[in-house]
């Protein structure tokens, strides 16, 4: 998003820090390979034209990459216009926590990087992450009227919870919620329950529990074979 961090040169186009943060989040979440480019400080580029080949050096305009910080800077984009002034969408990573800081309307090039560093430093100072990989085995679930009597279960994925309020995350409780049985037919990947996470008695999130295979409804022939 070339030079769109702030008010553009057209009076009819505006954006906000939240807009830029959402765009940055979408980019680094859906296309994480972008970090392979945004973390390069300097690169030699070979420009090939009809007139010949020319090599030149290209430096990253994100000076955060060279600043001394206690987190890994992963990007993302600088921008400036006469009205928007100096802006920056900065991304960083530490302890499996990715943060985004957006600075707009800075008076000069140096200030935007200092402000972004302050925002990210503050963000990491108040952030704690709880992770549950959900790798333990779940019990089989009874299937009524199916060609199989039970179906295997698994978690839909891991659970992550980011706290910014200084809570003690070791007190998080996990509660498995499952019915006694399900009726056939059952489709593979069908959600039949959930793992609920509680902190101080309050629900903070959940992960679906899904079936591991398809179980068709039994017919007379199946009962006869049983």
């Amino acid at each position: 998003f070339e030079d769109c961090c702030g008010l553009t040169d057209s009076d009819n186009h505006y954006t906000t820090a939240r807009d830029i943060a959402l765009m940055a989040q979408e980019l680094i979440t859906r296309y994480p390979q972008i970090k392979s480019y945004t973390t390069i400080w300097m690169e030699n580029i070979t420009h090939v034209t009809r007139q010949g080949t020319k090599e030149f050096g290209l430096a990253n305009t994100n000076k955060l990459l060279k600043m001394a910080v206690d987190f890994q800077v992963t990007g993302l984009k600088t921008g400036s216009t006469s009205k928007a002034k100096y802006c920056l969408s900065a991304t960083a990573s530490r302890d499996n926590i990715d943060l985004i800081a957006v600075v707009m309307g800075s008076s000069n090039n140096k200030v935007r990087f200092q402000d972004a560093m302050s925002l990210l430093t503050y963000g990491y100072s108040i952030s704690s992450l709880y992770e549950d990989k959900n790798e333990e085995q779940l019990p089989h679930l009874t299937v009524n009227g199916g060609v199989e009597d039970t179906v295997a279960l698994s978690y839909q994925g891991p659970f992550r919870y980011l706290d910014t309020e200084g809570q003690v995350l070791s007190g998080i409780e996990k509660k498995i919620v499952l019915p006694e049985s399900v009726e056939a037919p059952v489709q593979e990947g069908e959600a039949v329950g959930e793992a609920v996470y509680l902190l101080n008695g309050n629900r903070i999130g959940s992960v679906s529990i899904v079936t591991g295979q398809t179980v068709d409804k039994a017919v007379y022939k199946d009962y006869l074979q049983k």
Side-chain angles (χ1 to χ4, degrees):
F1 39 102
E2 181 66 31
D3 292 341
C4 74
C5 295
L7 175 63
T8 67
D9 285 328
S10 170
D11 290 336
N12 297 321
H13 296 86
Y14 296 83
T15 191
T16 66
R18 178 178 174 81
D19 292 336
I20 300 301
L22 288 173
M23 284 193 285
Q25 180 185 35
E26 185 75 2
L27 179 60
I28 65 176
T29 301
R30 297 187 62 179
Y31 305 100
Q33 61 268 32
I34 190 67
K35 297 175 184 177
S36 299
Y37 301 97
T38 56
T39 53
I40 298 175
W41 173 246
M42 186 172 288
E43 184 77 6
N44 289 329
I45 306 295
T46 302
H47 189 205
V48 180
T49 66
R50 293 181 179 179
Q51 286 72 37
T53 299
K54 183 179 180 181
E55 187 176 279
F56 62 95
L58 187 64
N60 199 322
T61 56
N62 185 2
K63 307 304 180 185
L64 271 181
L65 291 170
K66 283 294 185 178
M67 297 177 70
V69 292
D70 60 353
F71 45 81
Q72 179 188 7
V73 178
T74 58
L76 185 65
K77 181 70 178 70
T78 60
S80 60
T81 68
S82 59
K83 293 183 179 180
K85 299 183 180 179
Y86 292 91
C87 308
L88 171 66
S89 175
T91 57
S93 180
R94 189 180 78 180
D95 299 329
N96 291 326
I97 301 175
D98 294 326
L99 294 184
I100 301 169
V102 178
V103 177
M104 305 172 71
S106 292
S107 57
N108 60 64
N109 187 42
K110 185 177 181 180
V111 169
R112 64 176 169 184
F113 297 116
Q114 292 175 334
D115 288 346
M117 182 171 63
S118 296
L119 285 171
L120 291 169
T121 299
Y122 171 73
Y124 281 115
S125 72
I126 64 171
S127 297
S128 298
L129 182 66
Y130 174 86
E131 292 185 282
D132 184 359
K133 294 182 179 180
N134 285 328
E135 295 177 337
E136 73 268 20
Q137 194 77 25
L138 287 168
H140 281 57
L141 184 63
T142 299
V143 179
N144 298 324
V147 294
E148 301 289 342
D149 295 329
T150 62
V151 62
L153 300 177
S154 63
Y155 294 100
Q156 195 171 44
F159 175 78
R160 303 174 88 238
Y161 175 73
L162 181 66
D163 174 70
T164 58
E165 299 177 359
Q167 301 183 88
V168 180
L169 300 187
S170 59
I172 291 179
E173 299 177 62
K174 178 179 179 180
K175 182 180 179 181
I176 303 298
V177 180
L178 287 170
E180 293 185 0
S181 62
V182 291
E183 299 293 326
V186 175
Q187 298 300 316
E188 182 179 358
E190 181 179 336
V192 292
E194 60 180 353
V196 178
Y197 294 85
L198 305 169
L199 180 57
N200 300 324
N202 299 315
R203 180 180 174 128
I204 59 172
S206 64
V207 172
S208 294
I209 294 176
V210 299
T211 54
Q213 76 235 41
T214 295
V215 179
D216 294 326
K217 187 176 180 64
V219 295
Y220 175 78
K221 178 182 176 182
D222 298 308
Y223 287 115
L224 186 62
Q225 289 178 341
K226 287 186 180 182

